[in-house]
Amino acid sequence: MILFDFEHESPSSTEAAVARLNEVGEEARFLAGGTDMIPNMRIGIVKPECLISLTSIPYAPPALDAKGWLEIDALTRLSEIEHSKLVGDAAPMLAASAHSVAGNQIRQVATLGGNLCQETRCLYLNQKHDFQFVEPCFKRGGDCCYPFPKNKKNVCWSVYMSDIAPVLVALNAEVSVLGAGGEVRLPIAALFTGDGLRPHTLNPGELIRRIHIPPAPSHFGWGYHKSTVRGGLEFATALMAVALEVRANGLVCSDARIAIGAVNEGPVRLDKTEASMKGLELNPANLRMLADQASQEVNPLPHHGFSKPYLRDNIRVHLKRTLALAVERAGTRMKEDRS
Amino acid sequence: MSKLKYVGQSLKRKDGPDKVSGRAVYTQDVRLPGTLIGRVLRSPHPHARILKIDPSKALALPGVKGVITAKDTIGVKHGFVETPRYPADQDVLAIDKVTHVGEEIAAVAAIDDITAQRALELIEVEYEILPGVFDAETAMQPGAPEIRPTHPKVKEDLVNIAGKTETEWGDVEKGFAEADYIREDRFENQLRTHGYLEPQVTLAHWEGDKLNVWTSSMGTFIKRAKLSRTLGLPYSQVRIHKTYVGGTFGGKIDLYSHEYCAARLSMLTGRPVRITANREEIFSAYRHSQTLTIEIKTGVRKDGTILAQRFRIINNAGAHRGSGVVVIFLAWGFIMGPYRIPNLKYEGYAVYTNHTTRAPQRGHGAPKVRFAVESHLDMIAEHLGIDPITIRLKNARGPWEQLPNNDNTHEAGLIDCIKMVSQKSAFLDKWRQARPPADSKSPLRRGIGIGVTSYMSGTLIYPNGSGVVVKLNDDGSLIVLTGALDVGQGAETVLCQIVAEELAVGMDDIKLITADTDTTPQDIGAWISGMTYVTGNATRQAATHAREKILKVASEEMGVPEEDLGIEDKSVFNLHDPQQRMSYAQVFSASVAKHRGDTIIGEGFWRTMRDEPTHPSLATTKGRWTENYAFSAQVAEVEVDIETGEARLIKAYTVHDCGFPVNPGLIKGQVDGQVSMALGQAFMEEVMTKNGYTLNPNWLDYRMPLIHNMAGSEDFEVITEQYRVGQPYRTKEVGEGLVSGVLAGIANAIYDATGVRLTSAPFTPEKILAGLRKLEREKARELA
Ligand SMILES: Cc1cc2nc3c(=O)[nH]c(=O)nc-3n(C[C@@H](O)[C@@H](O)[C@H](O)COP(=O)(O)OP(=O)(O)OC[C@H]3O[C@@H](n4cnc5c(N)ncnc54)[C@H](O)[C@@H]3O)c2cc1C
Ligand code: SF4
């Protein structure tokens, strides 16, 4: 139960929504599927006086633009992304990540935009504070951090747990943001600050309009893995998304992007490992070497009871397997291209 | 023996249609006009003195109708155990100090939730913070912060001892001296919660001279007793109504503060008051299950025969005695049941800490005890070069064994259970075969393991007995009055089957009125694993009583001796001339007309161990525990990924001696439910705490298994008893004891698959990986 009063409005266009939010100001928030917002209001970590609902706004189904980029409206429900034939063909990794979010009931209402804009998570944060952890932590505007009491003032190591954001990062996606001054198009990575206190770069009143995913090159392979304890209805222990290209002549890597999720304040790219991959033959021994390197390159925050060394172990093994899958897919695709 | 028509059949649940159609009324569904919302103010500190409570600002808030603190109580304490040795130690509202996070300090009743919330924020409490202690072994040591005084009968130099169970027989030292091999191990387990989906909720309505209460519980009579006493009302002024219950698993037995608060606030305001706990409250302030640290030392002969065992068990009881002094007693029982232990020394300590108070949870310690004992036994067997089945058969108790406390194993089926589960699972073919061939690249390893358990089927505890009334209606249908509460386990269905069998009446012709403290007879409640046995026999007796009356009247009317009469289909017939018959409706009329208005009411009552004066001593274990031991042997097959450490249960086999299965379908439901609980305990569930605060008070971060985590589960019954119409029968426990063998089996199976011996649950990837690394290092050292 939400224990405070608030207003609720449902404008019928994104422009109207942005205009309304700018009018009402600081105390207003967008509400999409509400699967992140409502629980956060219930536990009192956000207390908007007015919710501008986006649910009455019509949105277009996923489509390819003139250049062959896949365009998805930010209001698209995750279940629609998961089941869309077009998304499955053009960006199967995105479909896989949408499928891995929460459970079916949530995916029926949760939106893509809301998924990207979800709050960071921390065991101390994601609960009511009626009698536990009553003193507000840095993230709640207070003066302490419960799990990391030695942290400097205003350093918050909550983790960003979107299943989809790392995939979009690995796919080099772009995002259109609608603000009072109109629409701008940015690389997806520009959405994230890497700061647990304020994980998103969006200003209040800025709205994610849509996501753009470039067409996959011909020798492309992908791999996605979400580590969990029980395999569903659960945020990730660690999450990895791999997109790679191989040269036409074999399994030598020509380009790669690896994004890790759920273990830092935002999605993280593994620049060094990606650099070592380029020009390397992606055989099992090299994949093992790359995964070892990656597990050293990531700097996971201990979260939700998982220790840093365990998270490294988890990423090392699962990334090796995820890379292998991506290589296999690239190989299959190459064969398909040739035939 | 006549063929049974109802008993022994998997008949559909009596409560099924109500539940699937949404007609079932749960406490939250009971609506009364003018109901106020109650909320409880809880301690933000694990240990603190209360210097001052000032509710005046809250009382002044418009919309607030009542605020209570300890001052509004009569100061009567309550507890899970209330005996001369272990008097109640829990206040309904904290008086001068709080001893755990979330302890109840005050409560408000207001016109709506938001007002109630504001009122809570306006209550001013001044605390003096005291040092807290959370680890039981630290809390025992002299110098630790004192939460409550050590029990006066415990003379050791220890603090915070809520109670101790101590017992021994034989000569343990001599047993160890004669042993060929002695081994010592230590086991630990995590804090788990019950995971009932229906939250704790109570609606109370004081009508001037009568308190009506609806509350989610496991038995209404114990609630009435404790509520009446803490309120200072005669039992006759308190009525607990029956509502459907959405899960309990041990978590809703004795009194909870919110029940008292709803009642007291209703008495003060004259309006109905409802308190519904939210999930965070349930996770961080209510009672979870018991944790045990178990140290075992065992001496065996070369052939695996157990000669002596020594146990030291430490229970982290939390802030109050709760069921801590029961679990350290029961742990002894779960040790003594399955295997012969000629010499035993047992010590169990329940220790106060600044954690929330604890309650029983399905199995009440048995899963922890059996995980320890069965793992330890496998380690011994391996050292001796004996397989797990042989060592168990060597020590398993057989039928008619007299136990050291004068209990008797009666028709124990344990040996058959072990043999059958071994055969059904092809145990010895799979055991140690799990390792894949050397050229396999697969990181997956399969393993198999076994666990054995015995469990009590009812014991002597409040209120010790059950009464049942069976009334004949004038159309020949029946009304059954019983205090038994169906908490999902199927009590209503099973009792109905018994009445149907005894009186030859269809299930749909029987209406049950249950668990209403004003209108139904007293009952033990659904929480000591004895309902089918105790309430069932009372029901059988009541039905028999009614049948005797029916036959007497019919015999007079038909001019046929009673022994020549049979019953079927709501009528009595002449066995020699089946055409000659009388319907129950006709019998009813005749009885009323010719027996001075006798409307044919059957009465029955039952109590386990009827001639025992009282329950066994929790402190010394003296006295009989149960007359009905259930036995089981279970096998688990697991798959472990040795690169990631991730493990899962593939299949569970359960073979159990349940006496006689009154409803095999319901038993299967119990088995499957317990397999799922065991795998949750093995792999995923843990209430994480830090300094008494709960870190994961929600369903996302406390991971219960999901439907796709369920493992295959096969179960087989070893039937050792019979049901005969009109005769007392024995059924054995099936609802609690079957978590244990699966949990123990999983631990042993992980060892079989990987060589990693885990001595603390849950069996996380992190622990399995650490174990594998240790093995690698040891191997490297051997090679070097
Ligand atoms: C039980 C449960 C399990 C979950 N499991 C997962 C999981 O496994 N993986 C995962 O990734 N997530 C999970 N989630 C989080 C889930 O809430 C998001 O995945 C979901 O996609 C959020 O979308 P929404 O439309 O409901 O967002 P909302 O709750 O409506 O909004 C979330 C935030 O985004 C803002 N917002 C919404 N739309 C826009 C927009 N277009 N532009 C700018 N800001 C916007 C809102 O103002 C709000 O701050 C889970 C949630 C629950 C309750
Ligand atoms: S990590 Fe962040 S959210 Fe968690 S307690 Fe610290 S400041 Fe608060």
Side-chain angles (χ1 to χ4, degrees), chain A residues 29-39 54 74-75 78 100-103 106 109-119 121 161-164 202 206-209 226 233-236, chain B residues 700:
Chain A
R29 287 295 156 86
F30 293 128
L31 179 75
T35 61
D36 188 50
M37 190 54 130
I38 301 291
L54 309 177
L75 288 171
L78 299 187
S100 75
V101 172
I106 287 177
V109 292
T111 64
L112 176 58
N115 185 279
L116 298 176
C117 294
Q118 66 179 272
E119 256 304 352
R121 304 184 70 84
M161 305 190 90
S162 160
D163 291 345
I164 295 179
L202 293 184
E206 287 183 330
L207 178 129
I208 299 187
R209 194 66 190 78
K226 176 178 177 180
L233 206 62
E234 189 180 7
F235 283 94
Chain B
L700 260 175

Side-chain angles (χ1 to χ4, degrees), chain A residues 122-125 137-140 144-148 155-158 197:
Chain A
C122 160
L123 287 175
Y124 297 80
L125 182 69
C137 69
F138 296 142
K139 176 110 183 166
R140 290 200 295 136
C144 67
C145 172
Y146 290 98
F148 309 107
V155 173
C156 165
W157 284 348
S158 56
L197 280 186

